[in-house]
Amino acid sequence: MNSIHPDADLIKRLGGPSKVAEILCIDKRGGAQRVQNWIARGIPSNVKVKYPHIFMPELAQAQTSQAHAATQTAAQGV
């Protein structure tokens, strides 16, 4: 049974298992295989949380926008 997790498409868009392992600075020995396993199992949530700008860019962007809005409000003294 070799199913593909929805995260497989994201890994592919980022350049494949070897490239993702390189981006995350995962040890070269076994790093690509580790990421390859995520194609079937999914990217671990702790990895997604550690690198939200890579794996959850819409969330990272929303947080940046909210922080910017809060800073602007505070600067205006509202």
Side-chain angles (χ1 to χ4, degrees):
M1 184 172 152
N2 192 7
S3 63
I4 295 179
H5 192 278
D7 287 341
D9 186 49
L10 176 57
I11 292 168
K12 183 179 178 182
R13 285 193 322 259
L14 289 170
S18 295
K19 184 64 176 177
V20 173
E22 180 183 328
I23 291 168
L24 302 180
C25 299
I26 297 175
D27 186 20
K28 288 196 182 272
R29 292 185 350 181
Q33 181 60 50
R34 181 176 171 190
V35 176
Q36 178 69 35
N37 291 338
W38 298 348
I39 291 173
R41 299 178 186 152
I43 301 166
S45 57
N46 65 323
V47 174
K48 288 182 178 182
V49 170
K50 187 173 180 179
Y51 301 98
H53 60 287
I54 297 172
F55 298 112
M56 301 180 292
E58 64 286 345
L59 178 62
Q61 179 62 36
Q63 289 176 333
T64 300
S65 296
Q66 289 173 351
H68 180 70
T71 302
Q72 292 293 65
T73 302
Q76 293 171 359
V78 176

